[in-house]
Amino acid sequence: MEHYLIKTYGCQMNIHESEKLAGMMQSLGYTETDSEDNADIIVFNTCCVRDGAEQKIYAHIGALKKLKKAKPDLIIAICGCMTQVNGRPETIKSKFPFVNIIFGTHNLNEFKKYIIQFKANRKYICDVWPEARYLDEHIDTYRTSNNNAWINISYGCNNFCTYCIVPYVRGRERSRNFADIIEECKDAINDGYKYITLLGQNVNSYGNDIDDKNVTFANLLKEIAHLEGDFRLKFMTSHPKDLTEDVVRVIADEPKIAKVIHLPIQSGSNKILKSMNRNYTREKYLSLIDMIRKYIPDCYISTDIIVGFPGETEQDFEDTYNIINQVRYDGVFAFMYSKRDGTLASKMDNQIDIAVKRERVNKLLAQSKKITKEKNMEAVGKSYNVIVNSFDAINRLYNCTTDSGKSIVVMADNLDINSFYKVVVTEFSKNKLFGKIGE
C-alpha cells in the first residue's frame, strides 16, 4: 500500500484544494499518512501572499533532501500559488533538484495525470499554465475539515489591490456554474456536513462574469439556504466594494445562514486605501457596518488589516487604530505589510521599517484583544447557535462552538455530538464562556 502526505500553506482556498489533491491520490490507491518517513509521495501546496510563508516552504522542502536520498523512489511534488509566480519553478528546480513534479494553480486538476506519467518514466515534470483553460467541475475530493465542507463558487480575482499577488497567480475572476454549486452543496449536506462554507477570492462578486441577471451572490445564498437538511451556510471572503444590501438582507432573513461576515478593511486611512487601490473610503466602509447592524444587530463582524503599508504615517496608523475602536470588531486579523515582487506596492517609495511595523501591529492586536475580552463579557445573557464538538465525561461538560467559531462550554445532559443547539451564555470566567441550553 502506498501513502501520501500533503503539506498545506496559506488560506482556506488552499486547504480545500489540498482536499482535491487528496481525492485524486486516493483514487489512485494512495492512503493518507502523517509521517514523512512513511510517505511514498509528499505534496507541498504552497502560498506566496507573504514572504515569511515562502521562506518557510523553502526550508521545509530543503529538509527533505536527506529523506529523498534514503528513499529515491519518493515522489516530491510542488504546487499552489508559489509555483505560479514568474521564475519560481526555475528557482525550485535549481535549489531542489530532487523535486519531481511542479505544477500551478490553473492545472491542479491534472495532478493525477502527472503522477501516472512520472511513475511510468521517472522523468521530471514541470507544467505551469499561465492562465486557466477551463473550469473542471468534477474533481475527486476527500474532505478533511471535520463537519465543514468547503465549496468553491469562484476562482481568481479582478481587483488588483496594489499589495496583492493573488490576481497574478490565480488569474482573472471565473464564476462556477450555479447549478453545479447547488448540486455540490446537496451532496455535502446528504453526506452529513453541518457547515457549508462558500469560497472565493471575492465571493460577493459571484456571477459578475456570467450573462444572466439572476446569477447573483444573493440568489445563490437564498437557493442554498432553502435546501433541505440541518446545516448552516457561511462564506468568505467579502470585498467591501461589492457587498450589497440585498446580500445582507438575505443573510438576515434566512435562518440557515450564519450571522457572520468577514469584511476586510485593510486600513482606516483614506490615503492608504487609495494607495492600496481598494476602491472604497473609510466613510463608505463604515456605512456598510451600519447597514449590516441595521439588519443583523448581533452580526459577528471580523476584518483583515495590513499595518505598515508603504507611506503609512503615524496619523494613518491612528486612523486604523481608531476604526477598530469605532467598529469594535469581534475578530481582527492583523498583518505587517510584506513586499511581494510583481505588485505595484513593492515599487513604492517610503517603505516602512520592520521595527515600526512590528510596534504598530502589536499595538493594534493588543487593543483588539482587549475589545474581544469586553465583547465576551457582554455576551453574558445572549443566545447563540452552537454545534456540539465533544464531551468531557469527567466534568460532564460539552465543548461547543458558535457559527463564528467562538468556544462555549455547556453543562447539560444527553446532547448529541455534531448537532446544533441554542445556548444562552451564563458566565465569562478565566477567559472562557459558559452556557446552558436555552431558547
Side-chain angles (χ1 to χ4, degrees):
M1 181 180 293
E2 293 184 301
H3 297 85
Y4 72 88
L5 172 63
I6 303 176
K7 294 178 177 288
T8 306
Y9 304 82
C11 66
Q12 291 82 4
M13 188 77 77
N14 274 18
I15 292 171
H16 182 39
E17 290 183 346
S18 286
E19 294 179 335
K20 296 177 181 178
L21 294 169
M24 284 184 269
M25 286 186 285
Q26 292 203 1
S27 72
L28 290 173
Y30 286 90
T31 302
E32 186 178 22
T33 181
D34 58 4
S35 167
E36 291 180 355
D37 292 336
N38 193 40
D40 298 285
I41 180 168
I42 298 176
V43 184
F44 289 82
N45 188 6
T46 64
C47 173
C48 63
V49 170
R50 279 174 284 278
D51 182 64
E54 199 164 339
Q55 297 310 314
K56 183 188 294 184
I57 294 164
Y58 281 142
H60 291 173
I61 297 171
L64 290 182
K65 182 177 180 179
K66 187 181 292 185
L67 180 62
K68 178 70 171 181
K69 189 172 183 179
K71 294 178 61 177
D73 288 338
L74 171 68
I75 300 173
I76 299 176
I78 318 290
C79 66
C81 293
M82 195 173 85
T83 64
Q84 204 69 45
V85 178
N86 285 339
R88 289 300 189 277
E90 292 79 8
T91 298
I92 293 169
K93 179 61 178 172
S94 174
K95 285 187 173 183
F96 314 108
F98 52 86
V99 168
N100 305 116
I101 302 172
I102 298 175
F103 58 105
T105 59
H106 300 312
N107 54 325
L108 174 139
N109 54 293
E110 301 283 307
F111 183 45
K112 185 193 295 190
K113 182 185 80 175
Y114 299 143
I115 296 174
I116 295 170
Q117 181 180 328
F118 181 79
K119 292 180 78 171
N121 59 28
R122 305 298 296 185
K123 290 183 179 179
Y124 168 71
I125 296 171
C126 180
D127 192 14
V128 179
W129 295 359
E131 59 186 22
R133 299 174 187 173
Y134 59 91
L135 279 179
D136 192 337
E137 296 283 4
H138 306 289
I139 301 176
D140 297 315
T141 302
Y142 173 61
R143 300 193 185 277
T144 59
S145 299
N146 300 316
N147 55 24
N148 175 70
W150 305 107
I151 293 179
N152 285 109
I153 66 170
S154 64
Y155 301 90
C157 183
N158 292 344
N159 291 318
F160 288 93
C161 300
T162 58
Y163 55 82
C164 187
I165 201 166
V166 167
Y168 303 99
V169 297
R170 290 280 179 179
R172 302 297 78 76
E173 196 169 277
R174 302 161 328 269
S175 298
R176 285 185 63 197
N177 178 273
F178 193 100
D180 285 330
I181 296 170
I182 299 300
E183 285 304 309
E184 188 174 353
C185 289
K186 286 180 181 178
D187 289 342
I189 295 163
N190 291 336
D191 287 340
Y193 289 94
K194 295 298 183 178
Y195 283 102
I196 304 295
T197 306
L198 307 180
L199 290 178
Q201 252 73 43
N202 182 12
V203 289
N204 43 13
S205 64
Y206 170 77
N208 287 356
D209 57 328
I210 295 177
D211 188 21
D212 184 340
K213 64 181 181 181
N214 294 314
V215 177
T216 66
F217 186 52
N219 287 343
L220 180 66
L221 288 175
K222 189 182 299 184
E223 186 81 11
I224 298 170
H226 290 174
L227 295 176
E228 293 183 5
D230 186 22
F231 68 95
R232 296 293 181 273
L233 177 60
K234 301 166 73 173
F235 59 88
M236 60 185 357
T237 293
S238 293
H239 193 297
K241 74 178 181 62
D242 295 307
L243 183 64
T244 58
E245 189 169 1
D246 59 342
V247 168
V248 175
R249 291 179 66 173
V250 169
I251 297 169
D253 292 344
E254 297 295 341
K256 289 181 180 178
I257 302 181
K259 312 312 176 202
V260 178
I261 297 178
H262 183 65
L263 195 65
I265 187 170
Q266 304 301 5
S267 174
S269 160
N270 280 338
K271 183 193 85 179
I272 297 298
L273 287 172
K274 184 176 181 180
S275 186
M276 288 177 166
N277 192 37
R278 291 291 288 173
N279 290 304
Y280 56 84
T281 62
R282 172 193 181 96
E283 292 74 24
K284 171 62 177 176
Y285 183 92
L286 289 173
S287 73
L288 292 174
I289 297 295
D290 290 341
M291 179 183 69
I292 292 168
R293 288 183 170 150
K294 170 188 170 184
Y295 289 107
I296 318 168
D298 291 326
C299 187
Y300 181 101
I301 303 175
S302 57
T303 197
D304 292 337
I305 292 173
I306 295 173
V307 171
F309 188 80
E312 183 186 72
T313 63
E314 279 297 327
Q315 183 56 58
D316 294 324
F317 172 71
E318 285 302 316
D319 287 345
T320 301
Y321 184 83
N322 291 337
I323 211 163
I324 70 168
N325 291 317
Q326 186 171 348
V327 176
R328 291 179 59 79
Y329 292 103
D330 297 277
V332 172
F333 301 89
F335 309 93
M336 294 185 291
Y337 167 73
S338 177
K339 186 189 291 189
R340 298 281 71 200
D341 291 342
T343 63
L344 288 175
S346 69
K347 303 169 187 173
M348 290 180 179
D349 296 330
N350 300 319
Q351 298 286 329
I352 307 299
D353 184 78
I354 183 66
V356 174
K357 289 193 281 190
R358 187 173 290 116
E359 179 184 359
R360 289 176 182 175
V361 79
N362 287 338
K363 181 179 179 181
L364 200 71
L365 289 171
Q367 183 63 8
S368 171
K369 187 176 180 180
K370 179 175 178 287
I371 292 170
T372 298
K373 185 174 182 179
E374 291 170 356
K375 297 201 80 165
N376 279 334
M377 294 170 68
E378 295 166 4
V380 175
K382 292 184 178 179
S383 177
Y384 293 89
N385 179 73
V386 303
I387 191 165
V388 180
N389 298 313
S390 62
F391 178 59
D392 178 352
I394 296 175
N395 298 302
R396 298 202 59 76
L397 296 173
Y398 287 91
N399 298 304
C400 308
T401 54
T402 66
D403 289 342
S404 64
K406 188 187 294 289
S407 296
I408 301 180
V409 177
V410 177
M411 181 175 285
D413 293 317
N414 302 319
L415 300 186
D416 295 324
I417 304 297
N418 210 32
S419 293
F420 291 108
Y421 294 90
K422 284 289 184 183
V423 164
V424 176
V425 175
T426 56
E427 183 183 1
F428 176 62
S429 175
K430 297 178 180 178
N431 287 323
K432 284 187 177 181
L433 289 171
F434 297 84
K436 64 179 182 180
I437 300 299
E439 295 299 325

